[in-house]
Amino acid sequence: MANQPIFILPEGTERYSKRDALRMNITAAKVLAGIVRTTLGPKGMDKMLTSSLGDVTVTNDGATIMREMEINQPAARMLVETAKKQEEIVGDGTTSVVVVAGELLSKAEELLEDGIATSVVVKGYRNATKKAVELLKEIAIDADDEETLKKVAVTAMSGKGSDYAKEHLADLVVKAALRIKEDGKSDIENINIQRVSGDSVEDSFLAEGIIIDKAPVSKNMPKDVKDAKIAIMKYPIELKDVNTDTKIDITSPDQFEAFLKQEEDMIKELVNKVIDSGVNVLFCQKGIDDMAEHYLKKAGIMAFKRVKKSDMERIEKATGAKLVTDIEDLSEEKLGYAGHVYLDKIFDHELTLIEECDNPKASSIVLRGSTRYVTEQIARALDDALGVVGATIEEGKVLIGGGACEIDLVKQLREYGESVSGREQLAILKYAEALEVIPRTLIENAGLDTINLIADLKAAHEDNPFIGINVFEGKVVDMKDAGVIEPLRVKIQALQSAGEAAEMILRIDDMIAARNALNSTGPDETGNDDSGMPPMPGAGMGGMGGMGGMPPMM
């Protein structure tokens, strides 16, 4: 009995402990960072992602790449979630988060191999992150004018497929953001990008109001309404469907006629309530019955059905209309106003424009492009630009880009690290070394001489903290004069997120994986395992299998 083995985990469960678990997690993070690293900067390359359904996405946007890949490895998924949160909070910097986190883990691996305890590395990284955030706030400069905001937008869009029109697009982004600015903030969620294929990107424009991708429910309804009194409803103008077990006994034609008459009267009553409120443009989130459509048309009301929730919210912001959830509550006080609502056709696309609003807090950008793939890619660049402009308006501070602020951080963090005693100093110095990955990557992706340019960059920073890499000219220049500017908030959030992600992965010393739960079929002849768990040492480096139709990364 003394030698009897005791099983506390289900059969088939795999466990990886201590260094094995840590090595696998760090390897997975480094592989993911390597995938997105080549997309960073103005000279970054694109990725083509093919889904299981055959849909093709071509992009160098980090958030899109990680969203489209089917990543199974748990630590890599944690990094993906960190990047998604970066996108949600500040709208940009997702690639930087993953690249920095991967480099921090790579440097931590070197420390661990030298015998430094994980707890010491984690503490050093935490203190270094805190110090880095303080230093960023010190070197930040004010951004309180439209020209600076435009430079921020241009920097965000550089290298994302929109370079030939980024000045024009940046102008649209800044105007849209400033138009809805309120109390020092610009809620970019209230700016929608309406993609219309056909013509060139330079034909994109900022609408005078907002645009919805809808046409009236009937072609015979008014298509152009001046002095529009607008109602937005989350209430169907149709009869509710009867239950499947409902029984209706009709024994004569008169009863059937009376039944239809009653239905018609009920519909007419609903429409009369709309008419009595003084509405002449109606946006309904639910359905509108054919009979109701007929009566609305007779009343000269321009009506739309099944309008998206996001569009309803923008209409509410732009016109001041109040959302009505019960038709009994519809009244003149709930109506919004727009000077002009009309249907327009752009290329082969019918859109409804709502213009001349008194104090609009929503706006629309019409994005043109030769094909759907072009407009999709540039729309992602516009999303990033809107995010950084919104963050800059709220924060009012920016940093100099092109690797300038990272090199400045490296210099000051090394000075800070040397002032710290004990082994924690080694972790802080490795953290500083890891931040060099951003300028190094910018140089590598441009195909330039990394060693010489990094040396030139460090030497130039002795006199000017604004010196960065001009990847187009292949030399170090004053990036403030060049107009390469990034929001303070994006950079701070990126460093904090990368530091937290690295710390979280370093603290894991045990991995318990249920094979069946991960739908594993075991390793193949190359050593790859579709459980998403890299094989034990000696079986080859595990890939991150199943990335949206991509082969496993070796």
Side-chain angles (χ1 to χ4, degrees), residues 163-188:
D163 286 358
Y164 56 96
K166 60 185 179 183
E167 293 287 339
H168 174 58
L169 294 175
D171 192 48
L172 299 182
V173 165
V174 172
K175 286 180 178 177
L178 291 177
R179 180 180 291 178
I180 64 170
K181 181 180 176 182
E182 186 176 23
D183 299 329
K185 296 181 180 180
S186 183
D187 187 356
I188 54 104

Side-chain angles (χ1 to χ4, degrees), residues 11 25 85 207 282 296 299-300 317 330 348 353 426 441 465 505 535 539:
E11 186 178 353
N25 286 338
K85 189 57 65 177
L282 172 67
L296 289 169
K317 290 279 188 180
L330 183 61
D348 60 350
L353 287 79
L426 300 176
T441 301
I505 291 172

